[in-house]
Amino acid sequence: MRDETKNTALAWTTALALALVPVAFVFGALGGMAEQVHPEAVAVLKVFWLASWTATPLLALAGWLFRRRPALAGAGRWTGWIAVVPVPVTILLASRL
């Protein structure tokens, strides 16, 4: 029962993160217009923007593939949860500029 709950939570967070990747892509692209006013914030935004549409799908896929192997199940859980981070950070940073 407990593994089922973990899988369900990870599935929902992965689906939500992957669904928000296009939103993060647009917000991050538009956030670059504030580079003259907030250059340091835009530099951080660019890093998370790049990670949101490159690393997030790859980390989510790796997380699900790692979970199929018992020796890598812990790494798969961590990879799956880390995959979610860049997308909301990009959206929040871009909305604050």
Side-chain angles (χ1 to χ4, degrees), residues 18-37:
L18 292 177
L20 288 176
V21 166
V23 176
F25 184 81
V26 171
F27 271 53
L30 294 175
M33 292 188 292
E35 194 164 11
Q36 294 289 333
V37 181

Side-chain angles (χ1 to χ4, degrees), residues 5 11 14-15 17 21 27-28 32-33 39-40 44 47 49 52 70 77 87-88 97:
T5 306
T14 303
V21 166
F27 271 53
M33 292 188 292
E40 294 89 7
V44 173
V47 170
W49 176 68
S52 71
R77 249 189 323 277
V87 175
L97 290 177

Side-chain angles (χ1 to χ4, degrees), residues 12-89:
W12 277 104
T13 55
T14 303
L16 183 62
L18 292 177
L20 288 176
V21 166
V23 176
F25 184 81
V26 171
F27 271 53
L30 294 175
M33 292 188 292
E35 194 164 11
Q36 294 289 333
V37 181
H38 305 290
E40 294 89 7
V42 173
V44 173
L45 173 66
K46 285 182 181 179
V47 170
F48 280 101
W49 176 68
L50 182 64
S52 71
W53 56 274
T54 57
T56 295
L58 294 175
L59 286 173
L61 178 65
W64 284 103
L65 291 176
F66 285 169
R67 290 178 59 83
R68 293 183 182 189
R69 308 222 190 277
L72 298 173
R77 249 189 323 277
W78 279 102
T79 305
W81 287 109
I82 290 171
V84 179
V85 173
V87 175
V89 170

